[in-house]
Amino acid sequence: ELFALMLARNGLLGELVEVVADHGQALTHVPRLLDPTLAGGALLDLGVYPISFIVSMLGEPLAVDALGHRSESGVDATSVSNLSYPGAIGVGTTTLLASTPTRAFVAGREGCLEFDSRFYEPGGLTATLGEQVVRWEGTPTLGGFEFQVAEVARGVAAGQTESAVLPLHETVVVMEVMDAVRRALGARFPGE
């Protein structure tokens, strides 16, 4: 994802016009995810990945809209999040009812990046820049979070309280987007 972010921010894809990401896993067998008193639902456990991806590429949205369905217990089970930007749109889909391809792409006026399945982990991607197609196979991982752990360890060792890779402001934007999606879906937790 960092590689894609560098390509996008360096203008190699041209002006970004669309970012799409999907994350669905069949998790109805996990009681916590169906329990509103435990902050259950697909969005906070799965939907955070597509929304974070979109925000990392396009920044803070101008508007957020969402459609979806809630489970019998009232938590969000399936959703489509639409994030609007000047001249661009971000679309994130998530569900806890079924496994999905978990892919993502970033489309700019000059090129496109297509991520392999499990886009949220280090892996392969295909870059199409005009007529040129470049394939990158990615880096094998131990469990998918070793880069995040390394960044935290680096920051702690340096005495930092915030990472330049994922600054606090971006984390707050992601949380605000997810709150807006939950509001649109009518998914509320006790005490809200």
Side-chain angles (χ1 to χ4, degrees), residues 34-187:
L34 299 175
D35 189 342
T37 65
L38 298 175
L43 189 64
L44 296 182
D45 278 76
L46 304 172
V48 64
Y49 293 96
I51 289 172
S52 291
F53 182 76
I54 294 164
V55 169
S56 74
M57 295 294 157
L58 295 172
E60 187 170 354
L62 297 175
V64 176
D65 193 19
L67 297 171
H69 303 285
R70 289 181 288 152
S71 71
E72 289 181 16
S73 64
V75 300
D76 61 284
T78 301
S79 64
V80 176
S81 305
N82 297 304
L83 285 65
S84 298
Y85 297 86
I89 191 163
V91 178
T93 61
T94 191
T95 185
L96 58 72
L97 302 177
S99 294
T100 63
T102 65
R103 291 202 168 106
F105 72 84
V106 179
R109 292 184 181 267
E110 305 297 324
C112 182
L113 299 175
E114 296 177 73
F115 292 77
D116 291 350
S117 186
R118 298 175 66 101
F119 76 92
Y120 46 86
E121 293 181 357
L125 67 89
T126 302
T128 305
L129 304 168
E131 298 296 316
Q132 184 178 9
V133 177
V134 178
R135 175 77 187 150
W136 185 64
E137 291 303 328
T139 306
T141 64
L142 300 172
F145 293 105
E146 54 268 27
F147 296 105
Q148 291 90 328
V149 170
E151 174 63 9
V152 169
R154 185 205 58 74
V156 168
Q160 297 174 323
T161 58
E162 183 174 356
S163 168
V165 176
L166 182 59
L168 176 60
H169 174 74
E170 190 170 316
T171 300
V172 171
V173 169
V174 169
M175 292 305 300
E176 289 172 344
V177 168
M178 290 195 303
D179 284 347
V181 170
R182 285 190 317 104
R183 278 192 302 276
L185 298 175

